[in-house]
Amino acid sequence: MSDAAWLRVIEWGLRIFQAALILLWPKLMFLTQDRALRRDSTLFGVRVPSDFGDSQIGREIFDEYRKRIWLTAILFAAIFAIGAPNGPSVSGLWYFGLLLGMLLARWVFYAMAQRRVRMEGGPAPESSVRTASLIAEEPIQRPGLRFAAFAVMLLPMMLPVITGLLLALDWRRYPSRPHLDFTAAMLAFTGAFGLCMSALQYALRYHARSSDWAADPAASLKYRTDLGLMMGSASLGVIAWGCILTLTQLFGIGMGIQFAISYPVMFGVIIFSRRMRSSLVKQFDPQSGDSMADRCWKWAYFYFNSSDPAWVVPTRSGVSCALNHARALPWICYGLSVTALVALVGPWAKIVAETRALH
Amino acid sequence: MVLMYSTSVHQMARSAQLKIDIASEVPAYRQIADQVRALIVEGALEPGDSLPPVRKLALDLGIHFNTIAEAYRTLEREGLLEIIHGHGARVAGVSPASPADPEAAENFRQRLRELVAMVRTRGLSTRRIIGELRAVVDGLEGP
């Protein structure tokens, strides 16, 4: 098949895949969190009496939230199906925009549910007791898992650097200067993202409490390692794809080969992440951690506690993690991402202007 | 060092847990020092056992590392801990100061006086206080 035919297949494949993903967003991204939006002590991030979540009003608030999420996903899928133009990069941008919109909508719905819980159910009295074990965390015994954890911690940061070096060695092969600038800026963005993901895994491994996510230090370490593996491998999939795209352009490898490698890998990463997520839900101990006061949680999702040395803590629902915004890590990550994004704008504008001039 | 710490601490009793109440009138460093002291006296921590690094314990308890360092220094002054720079803290091999030490006895009397006064204001009878004290002493001396 010619490259043009491949492109058409990929275009339609991506379009259908993305539309299906939008429809499945609540199931794929929020369902496990929906199920765990409360642990024994909290509902929508508010500390409540333990029976409030199962009460009629608690279930009503939860159902209302879930209905809003589903309706928004259906609306966004319809907008994508009708409005998004063809072309992998254009529909990809649309998809990314709608994903941001969905996250924003979820944030608003979550805040609304939280407000209602606060009015009707809480807050319950907070505990001022904190515990710590004098027993050390047991190091991970399985060498394979230990190796995977380190590889997934380092690779998101290393891959863009290696790709950048290869690009620097052979930059004359690029068709034009704006394309080279754009690729370099894109690599810088990927590198910034990779650095943030590596830093997050480092924080999970070395700067998180050993009583969080699970009361036992060994179980907590296992949970944190698995969570890092899941987040790291998902981000690694995206970063590796970006790096492969850059290198194939540089060495003129056909798109067929590129997609034959990257699609199965992406599919594998999605399945792996789903399995890890189910495993994490099983490993999570609802009785663990959560010793910090309600006032440490700002704007529904953001943790800010200057007296807490932890860089990363469990979210209020217990699923996944939240950065401590009183530490430097989140601000470095935001700063890097914004700088890299701004650096992308100039070369991208030049390419758009060049393409328009050609037409 | 991490390996030494891990292997050493694994030999401790699994129940070696610290619990602090940040809303308590008793400062956090004293709560920590008191509990570690009790664990040493009960035998849950033995001579040579390493304690978690200051920053690790501070992270787990969600408090400033200086608070833990102060607790460790207090126990070092009492002769219960050895602090070796770069190697952390471990339970001292030597026996703590003799009870006959007049300064230690005076400190004990002073702290006991404060404690008894506090529980009296909360309504505990003299008989109950004596009973509780005896139970604690018996618990520390073991079967």
Side-chain angles (χ1 to χ4, degrees):
Chain A
M1 248 191 340
S2 67
D3 273 4
W6 267 113
L7 254 181
R8 268 197 300 278
V9 171
I10 298 306
E11 239 172 57
W12 280 103
L14 260 182
R15 201 179 166 84
I16 293 165
F17 180 65
Q18 286 168 345
L21 273 184
I22 296 171
L23 259 181
L24 288 173
W25 268 342
K27 185 88 179 157
L28 288 171
M29 297 174 62
F30 309 129
L31 181 74
T32 42
Q33 292 184 28
D34 282 352
R35 262 205 335 235
L37 271 173
R38 67 186 181 82
R39 46 180 167 180
D40 288 0
S41 54
T42 59
L43 181 66
F44 287 102
V46 181
R47 210 181 288 269
V48 287
S50 57
D51 55 349
F52 183 75
D54 290 325
S55 67
Q56 197 192 341
I57 187 77
R59 282 203 299 268
E60 208 175 276
I61 295 171
F62 188 76
D63 288 344
E64 189 182 51
Y65 166 80
R66 195 158 44 189
K67 201 189 296 171
R68 282 175 177 154
I69 290 279
W70 274 111
L71 284 175
T72 313
I74 291 166
L75 179 72
F76 279 11
I79 291 173
F80 184 84
I82 296 165
N86 267 339
S89 58
V90 182
S91 61
L93 276 177
W94 264 71
Y95 180 79
F96 187 64
L98 290 180
L99 178 63
L100 283 183
M102 186 73 194
L103 287 173
L104 191 69
R106 181 170 173 255
W107 183 21
V108 172
F109 298 152
Y110 188 94
M112 286 163 80
Q114 190 179 61
R115 192 161 163 243
R116 213 175 143 200
V117 171
R118 198 166 276 138
M119 277 177 356
E120 315 224 18
E126 290 170 359
S127 165
S128 57
V129 175
R130 295 180 191 172
T131 56
S133 174
L134 286 172
I135 309 293
E137 291 172 347
E138 285 178 36
I140 303 161
Q141 298 297 331
R142 286 158 55 196
L145 182 61
R146 213 166 2 174
F147 174 76
F150 271 99
V152 170
M153 179 155 59
L154 292 176
L155 279 176
M157 183 173 60
M158 298 301 291
L159 270 186
V161 175
I162 295 166
T163 312
L165 284 175
L166 288 171
L167 184 67
L169 285 174
D170 221 353
W171 62 272
R172 281 173 210 284
R173 280 173 182 248
Y174 253 75
S176 70
R177 186 62 201 256
H179 278 90
L180 178 66
D181 288 350
F182 181 73
T183 305
M186 199 64 195
L187 261 183
F189 180 70
T190 315
F193 175 59
L195 189 66
C196 296
M197 291 314 293
S198 294
L200 178 63
Q201 287 177 76
Y202 173 79
L204 273 169
R205 183 73 183 76
Y206 299 108
H207 289 276
R209 250 184 288 289
S210 49
S211 57
D212 277 346
W213 290 285
D216 178 59
S220 167
L221 179 64
K222 171 83 170 55
Y223 187 101
R224 286 184 277 131
T225 307
D226 285 358
L227 180 62
L229 259 178
M230 189 191 78
M231 293 168 104
S233 52
S235 61
L236 192 60
V238 177
I239 289 167
W241 195 20
C243 293
I244 289 169
L245 269 174
T246 307
L247 292 178
T248 48
Q249 280 178 46
L250 189 66
F251 295 110
I253 298 168
M255 290 191 93
I257 297 173
Q258 189 199 112
F259 285 115
I261 298 170
S262 52
Y263 267 74
V265 169
M266 241 173 60
F267 193 64
V269 165
I270 290 173
I271 290 178
F272 175 72
S273 301
R274 287 292 301 159
R275 290 196 63 173
M276 287 294 281
R277 195 158 197 157
S278 318
S279 157
L280 288 174
V281 169
K282 279 182 205 148
Q283 284 180 53
F284 176 67
D285 176 1
Q287 303 289 335
S288 65
D290 196 25
S291 53
M292 297 306 165
D294 280 357
R295 66 174 181 279
C296 300
W297 292 89
K298 319 278 184 199
W299 297 351
Y301 281 135
F302 299 95
Y303 181 67
F304 187 99
N305 186 356
S306 54
S307 64
D308 184 2
W311 289 8
V312 60
V313 294
T315 57
R316 217 66 206 286
S317 64
V319 172
S320 194
C321 57
L323 293 169
N324 184 357
H325 285 76
R327 305 278 145 235
L329 178 67
W331 301 108
I332 292 171
C333 288
Y334 299 153
L336 273 175
S337 308
V338 170
T339 311
L341 259 181
V342 170
L344 257 177
V345 173
W348 180 73
K350 265 189 195 165
I351 290 176
V352 170
E354 206 179 56
T355 316
R356 277 196 187 144
L358 276 174
H359 285 95
Chain B
M1 191 200 129
V2 172
L3 192 68
M4 271 173 53
Y5 164 70
S6 306
T7 43
S8 163
V9 177
H10 281 158
Q11 291 156 7
M12 288 181 200
R14 302 294 300 180
S15 59
Q17 274 242 334
L18 285 182
K19 189 180 273 188
I20 63 160
D21 184 352
I22 51 163
S24 164
E25 292 158 7
V26 182
Y29 85 90
R30 259 212 6 225
Q31 294 183 48
I32 295 162
D34 290 348
Q35 286 177 54
V36 174
R37 189 186 299 109
L39 287 169
I40 293 171
V41 173
E42 283 166 357
L45 294 174
E46 291 175 354
D49 280 344
S50 295
L51 291 185
V54 165
R55 286 182 188 270
K56 177 81 183 90
L57 196 53
L59 178 66
D60 283 350
L61 288 171
I63 55 178
H64 199 274
F65 67 88
N66 273 341
T67 309
I68 311 288
E70 183 56 36
Y72 280 10
R73 278 196 295 269
T74 304
L75 292 168
E76 188 193 25
R77 281 196 294 273
E78 293 174 13
L80 293 169
L81 286 189
E82 281 175 333
I83 299 175
I84 306 159
H85 288 288
H87 293 274
R90 65 181 57 178
V91 179
V94 293
S95 56
S98 158
D101 178 353
E103 196 184 340
E106 179 53 35
N107 275 344
F108 169 71
R109 197 175 299 118
Q110 178 63 28
R111 285 186 64 185
L112 196 59
R113 194 180 295 127
E114 288 166 11
L115 198 64
V116 170
M118 190 179 80
V119 293
R120 283 298 292 272
T121 58
R122 291 181 183 174
L124 254 71
S125 66
T126 307
R127 178 177 290 191
R128 178 84 192 274
I129 292 169
I130 293 168
E132 293 288 340
L133 199 56
R134 181 162 293 141
V136 169
V137 171
D138 290 347
L140 288 175
E141 282 178 348

